[in-house]
Amino acid sequence: MKGPIAAVLCLSLLFSAITASAQFVKTKDLEKMKKRTRIIVLKEKPDKKILKQLARTSPEMANAYKQAIRQLNQDFPEAVRQFWTVNSGATIEVRTEKEIEKIRKKSDRTSIVMDCQSLHVKPGVKSRYSKLTRTYTSGLSWQKDPKDLSIPVISMTFIESDLQYPFYIQNMSDQFPDYIDLAVGLRLATFVFNEQLEGKTSTVLQKEIKHNAVLMKGKTLVLCKDWLDETFEANVAKNDYPFPIKYVSLEELENLIRKDVYDSTVVAYVPAGVFSTFDKNAPSMEVHVPVVFDPANGMPLCHSDISHEMFQAWGFSLIPRMGKTVVGFKKIRNEDIRHFAKSITEGEEQEQMGLNN
């Protein structure tokens, strides 16, 4: 399943580094989604081109690729069953692309299709009209081409709709998605859907997220050791952050999420977003900003402060000179811990101002 998505969607993906969601759902789609009684998870199959390429250079890598696809097909529906609570009571099924096509031909109107894809930017036809730049989804990337900025996303489409145009996409990290990526992505998406079901607008949600850090008070911040910057110093972080910090391995973090028992903790995660301007030369960026979220309900609590350079890039002033590049913080730094602590203080100040008013 692949096809173009309007480039404006890519803009919303960029801001997902702040809001921790890919986009907000149209009201008419939200109402339609609430009535669906079946979630169909697309069963991935190894890409023949990738297999052929890997087999020529490394049979071990070809086997690793096939195993990754098998693991994804096991993890994805499991994560949906555990974390997708928007359509309460909906059945979860795993189907191949051919089976989904057959269901569509029967004029089925009961299903939502969830699919893992790679989202990346491609230029349109070269023209003075820059709006021809488009964002595309395609089959999952295995080994990323450094020249191709792309990220894995969870794509959600109504069964009767063209699968090239999902009504919602949720970005994950910059790796081939694992269970943690899927679980976090579904938690964040569920939070956005549930909040919208209560009638909150995207503007209200984004405003609230700036002050939700106050909810981190007293909770343990869970940091994955695999996601720490090489220069990260635990002693410095201990002095910067006023509450306990727990360091876990990637395996320990996955076990924590699978058990779904967090004992008053919050988790720092590094989502990715791809951004394209409407420039005819199609400059694009991949953005990574650490976000702290409440794993119990997916609520984003705070994010690392945006650097001056990133702010300028988002304001378009740097983009024409940057071309295709990666910006942001791909790993968690000591500066990010200080920003998290600062967000708590700012949240307390906002809370106090609200009480005084």
Side-chain angles (χ1 to χ4, degrees):
M1 298 181 186
K2 58 184 178 180
I5 302 177
V8 69
L9 182 58
C10 213
L11 178 61
S12 63
L13 263 174
L14 172 68
F15 285 100
S16 68
I18 294 180
T19 65
S21 67
Q23 61 180 6
F24 291 89
V25 188
K26 295 178 181 177
T27 302
K28 64 176 182 178
D29 289 337
L30 195 65
E31 292 300 319
K32 187 191 299 187
M33 186 202 67
K34 289 187 330 188
K35 299 175 183 178
R36 299 296 159 121
T37 58
R38 177 167 63 170
I39 309 296
I40 300 177
V41 178
L42 178 70
K43 184 177 182 180
E44 287 288 336
K45 62 179 182 179
D47 187 297
K48 292 181 179 179
K49 291 182 179 179
I50 295 177
L51 268 180
K52 187 176 181 180
Q53 181 183 11
L54 290 174
R56 283 200 302 262
T57 57
S58 171
E60 292 79 11
M61 287 299 293
N63 289 331
Y65 170 62
K66 289 189 287 187
Q67 176 56 37
I69 295 293
R70 284 194 291 268
Q71 189 65 49
L72 175 64
N73 285 331
Q74 176 181 319
D75 289 343
F76 195 9
E78 182 181 336
V80 173
R81 290 187 183 97
Q82 186 172 359
F83 299 113
W84 184 254
T85 59
V86 179
N87 300 77
S88 180
T91 60
I92 312 297
E93 301 178 12
V94 180
R95 301 286 186 179
T96 64
E97 194 165 352
K98 288 183 179 180
E99 289 173 327
I100 291 173
E101 288 298 323
K102 290 180 181 178
I103 295 172
R104 180 183 294 104
K105 290 178 181 178
K106 294 179 181 179
S107 298
D108 178 279
R109 294 293 185 274
T110 65
S111 307
I112 294 171
V113 179
M114 290 195 185
D115 179 19
C116 280
Q117 302 181 10
S118 286
L119 184 143
H120 51 98
V121 176
K122 284 186 178 180
V125 178
K126 285 194 174 182
S127 165
R128 60 182 293 187
Y129 299 105
S130 55
K131 290 185 179 180
L132 291 176
T133 299
R134 288 293 181 266
T135 301
Y136 286 75
T137 53
S138 64
L140 279 172
S141 299
W142 170 238
Q143 290 181 310
K144 287 179 59 178
D145 180 349
K147 296 180 181 179
D148 175 30
L149 300 181
S150 64
I151 58 168
V153 297
I154 297 173
S155 169
M156 301 182 192
T157 313
F158 295 119
I159 185 70
E160 70 275 15
S161 303
D162 187 335
L163 295 179
Q164 295 181 356
Y165 298 94
F167 66 88
Y168 185 87
I169 61 173
Q170 176 63 56
N171 56 311
M172 294 181 279
S173 186
D174 63 330
Q175 303 173 350
F176 187 89
D178 56 17
Y179 189 85
I180 296 173
D181 276 331
L182 295 164
V184 172
L186 288 164
R187 277 289 204 208
L188 292 172
T190 297
F191 169 76
V192 172
F193 276 71
N194 285 334
E195 291 295 291
Q196 281 197 262
L197 286 171
E198 293 182 6
K200 292 185 179 180
T201 66
S202 60
T203 302
V204 170
L205 281 175
Q206 292 182 30
K207 184 177 180 181
E208 287 182 354
I209 288 167
K210 293 180 180 180
H211 310 306
N212 281 343
V214 70
L215 301 176
M216 295 169 61
K217 289 175 60 177
K219 294 188 177 181
T220 299
L221 177 64
V222 176
L223 298 177
C224 180
K225 290 180 283 190
D226 300 67
W227 297 345
L228 298 179
D229 187 79
E230 292 76 8
T231 62
F232 187 91
E233 296 183 46
N235 289 335
V236 174
K238 184 178 181 180
N239 291 329
D240 290 337
Y241 191 74
F243 306 111
I245 298 177
K246 181 179 181 180
Y247 297 92
V248 297
S249 66
L250 204 58
E251 182 180 3
E252 289 170 331
L253 181 59
E254 180 177 327
N255 289 335
L256 185 69
I257 289 176
R258 283 184 182 274
K259 291 178 181 178
D260 208 9
V261 178
Y262 301 97
D263 298 326
S264 190
T265 62
V266 290
V267 177
Y269 178 74
V270 188
V274 173
F275 174 72
S276 173
T277 67
F278 294 116
D279 187 272
K280 66 180 180 180
N281 295 317
S284 56
M285 299 184 298
E286 186 171 337
V287 180
H288 301 256
V289 177
V291 172
V292 177
F293 72 99
D294 183 345
N297 61 15
M299 179 187 290
L301 301 177
C302 71
H303 60 84
S304 184
D305 277 1
I306 307 305
S307 69
H308 180 62
E309 178 179 298
M310 286 187 67
F311 178 80
Q312 288 188 47
W314 286 6
F316 302 108
S317 62
L318 290 181
I319 290 174
R321 299 198 303 273
M322 294 177 75
K324 291 201 170 189
T325 186
V326 176
V327 296
F329 321 118
K330 296 193 72 171
K331 290 194 173 183
I332 298 171
R333 317 158 302 162
N334 283 108
E335 292 96 317
D336 300 318
I337 305 301
R338 285 194 287 274
H339 294 153
F340 298 156
K342 177 184 174 184
S343 295
I344 297 174
T345 302
E346 291 176 347
E348 289 177 315
E349 292 172 353
Q350 290 290 333
E351 191 176 63
Q352 188 60 46
M353 287 175 60
L355 291 174
N356 292 338
N357 293 333

